[in-house]
Amino acid sequence: MNERSTDTSARGGGKSGPLTAIRQFCLECQGASGRAVRACADRHCPLWEWRLASLPDELCPAPEAEAGLQALRAIRRQCMLCAGDREEVRACATRETCVLWRYRFGVRPQTYKLVRRRFFAPKPLSLL
């Protein structure tokens, strides 16, 4: 199930992907120490198994095709734990300080914008 890959962009990684955001979040949590992130003992954290996935020589906790989506779901779980409920996640004001903020809905920001645009688009009027 775990596969090695040097291409993190296929897993939704890269310079600004969810895997990179998870890694940055974990580094902030552990005081900017990569060694402390590697030795993290908090297995109840939704991001625990993803904390090293953006590194090219590490195992990814999911198959390549599903890694990006599963990482986004892990971020959503972390945001739900932090905020408490869906309304608080929506109203989250940590835009400037939290690296996970962009992914708090469990989807990529581009996807969220498209869905939101479709949802609020004018609907055709049916007179029947």
Side-chain angles (χ1 to χ4, degrees):
M1 182 167 167
N2 292 339
E3 299 176 6
R4 286 191 184 267
S5 173
T6 58
D7 182 20
T8 59
S9 62
R11 298 190 297 221
K15 289 189 177 187
S16 64
L19 294 178
T20 303
I22 291 172
R23 177 70 177 173
Q24 290 173 348
F25 182 86
C26 291
L27 283 168
E28 288 175 13
C29 177
Q30 297 295 328
S33 170
R35 190 172 280 170
V37 171
R38 188 173 293 277
C40 179
D42 186 9
R43 291 182 179 257
H44 295 291
C45 175
L47 305 177
W48 185 83
E49 62 185 355
W50 294 96
R51 72 196 191 285
L52 304 174
S54 67
L55 302 176
D57 58 337
E58 291 296 327
L59 295 174
C60 183
E64 294 292 321
E66 300 171 11
L69 182 60
Q70 288 188 19
L72 288 167
R73 287 179 181 164
I75 291 173
R76 174 68 173 176
R77 286 191 302 273
Q78 174 63 33
C79 290
M80 290 292 286
L81 280 175
C82 177
D85 64 5
R86 297 175 76 184
E87 299 302 319
E88 292 297 321
V89 169
R90 253 186 231 114
C92 182
T94 63
R95 181 180 192 147
E96 301 298 323
T97 58
C98 182
V99 294
L100 301 179
W101 187 85
R102 299 177 58 200
Y103 305 104
R104 70 190 185 282
F105 296 119
V107 295
R108 295 184 175 280
Q110 305 89 331
T111 304
Y112 179 72
K113 287 177 187 174
L114 289 173
V115 169
R116 186 171 170 81
R117 198 174 304 138
R118 222 180 355 210
F119 183 77
F120 289 110
K123 309 288 188 278
L125 182 60
S126 177
L127 299 175
L128 295 178

